[in-house]
Structures are given as structure tokens and as C-alpha cells.
Amino acid sequence: LSLAVSGSLNIEVSADSLSALDVIPGEDYSDAGMFCVKNAGTVDLKYRGRFESDLSGQYDFIQYMVMKVEQLSGGLWETLLEVSGSGEAGDESLAAYFKFSDQAPEVINRYIVQEDLSPGEVNCFRMSVRLEPDTPDAFQNRSLEFYLHLYATQPENPGWDE
């Protein structure tokens, strides 16, 4: 008798809506929310995540934004990423961490997290944003919507570009 059983690859994400409301230029970071990623499968996995948004017509606004992503480690929040905006597409600024419709396909999206997880293990992250002190009044009541996308695979997957 021969028996082969494959393992399962499954991630669970727990999060409320990530949103920073009533952000005041020049003030400290506004907490946009927290999300946790859990390996709910039976085998080790690696995952990565990125934000998606359509920044068409938003470059003027995003150049005044700063985004921070932190990871909970040993009960303390450690900064993984703190990046400022810019009015240019495809640069190393905040816009590079978003996929947007007018982006050239050869531009690689930047991943905010890239981690390994054992079965049952959980990683938690916090996102916050602030506006630069010189943000013009013309940007009052502006907003930016984005989505968080997470991708997972086996740790040894040779088809996964690092």
C-alpha cells in the first residue's frame, strides 16, 4: 500500500479597512490601520504584498504624502518602510510602491512585505501616513484609494522572482 498526501498552502488576512482620515499637514503620522497575515496551511510558505491604486491624476497630491509600514516584532513596532511621495512615475518614491494603470509594464512594483511563514505563524503590520507641512490648501478633501494584494507560494518555488 502506498499513500501520498500533499500539504496545503493557505494564507489568511485579518484586517479592518485601512484608512487614514482627517490627516493634517505637518502633524505626526495618522494610523491607517493594521493587518495580520497567518499561514493557515500545513506547509511552510513565503509571501509578499503590495498596494494597488490608480494614481492617474494623483501625482500632484501624492508628492506631499509619506507612508510608513511597520511590523510587530517582540511586542514592538519596527519600521520596514518609510517612503515619501514624488510627482514622477516610476521613480524610487511612494508611487513605486503602487501599481497604477498608466505605469509602463516593465516597471517592477515594489513589495512592502516579503516574508516566510511556518504553519500557524502570524505576522502583523501597521500602516500610517502623513502629509508634508507644505501641502497646499488645494489638496483639502483629496483622497487616495488603494488595495493590499498578498501572494504566497512554496519557499522553494523557482518560478517566483525575488
Side-chain angles (χ1 to χ4, degrees):
L1 177 65
S2 193
L3 179 65
V5 179
S6 63
S8 65
L9 194 88
N10 186 17
I11 59 173
E12 292 178 355
V13 179
S14 61
D16 293 328
S17 174
L18 300 176
S19 61
L21 304 173
D22 300 324
V23 180
I24 299 171
E27 293 206 354
D28 203 8
Y29 280 98
S30 177
D31 187 9
M34 185 176 88
F35 63 95
C36 294
V37 181
K38 177 181 180 179
N39 181 346
T42 60
V43 296
D44 290 348
L45 62 81
K46 62 181 176 181
Y47 73 95
R48 60 189 179 194
R50 68 172 168 79
F51 293 117
E52 180 178 340
S53 183
D54 182 357
L55 296 182
S56 302
Q58 295 279 28
Y59 295 114
D60 58 346
F61 178 50
I62 202 171
Q63 69 183 318
Y64 295 98
M65 292 178 67
V66 181
M67 178 177 74
K68 180 167 64 171
V69 177
E70 300 166 289
Q71 183 173 7
L72 189 60
S73 177
L76 301 173
W77 289 104
E78 295 180 6
T79 299
L80 294 179
L81 170 73
E82 188 169 19
V83 62
S84 298
S86 168
E88 302 297 322
D91 62 9
E92 290 295 326
S93 78
L94 182 56
Y97 288 86
F98 290 82
K99 176 186 177 197
F100 40 99
S101 60
D102 59 350
Q103 182 181 44
E106 64 272 16
V107 175
I108 296 171
N109 296 311
R110 307 300 193 278
Y111 291 96
I112 56 154
V113 294
Q114 191 155 310
E115 300 281 333
D116 294 335
L117 278 181
S118 298
E121 190 176 4
V122 178
N123 285 343
C124 292
F125 303 89
R126 179 170 68 181
M127 182 190 165
S128 51
V129 296
R130 67 178 174 84
L131 292 174
E132 297 289 6
D134 60 344
T135 304
D137 289 343
F139 295 118
Q140 290 184 40
N141 297 316
R142 289 283 292 267
S143 64
L144 175 66
E145 292 184 3
F146 58 88
Y147 303 91
L148 173 66
H149 292 270
L150 294 170
Y151 306 90
T153 190
Q154 306 167 67
E156 299 81 21
N157 184 349
W160 180 287
D161 294 332
E162 296 295 341

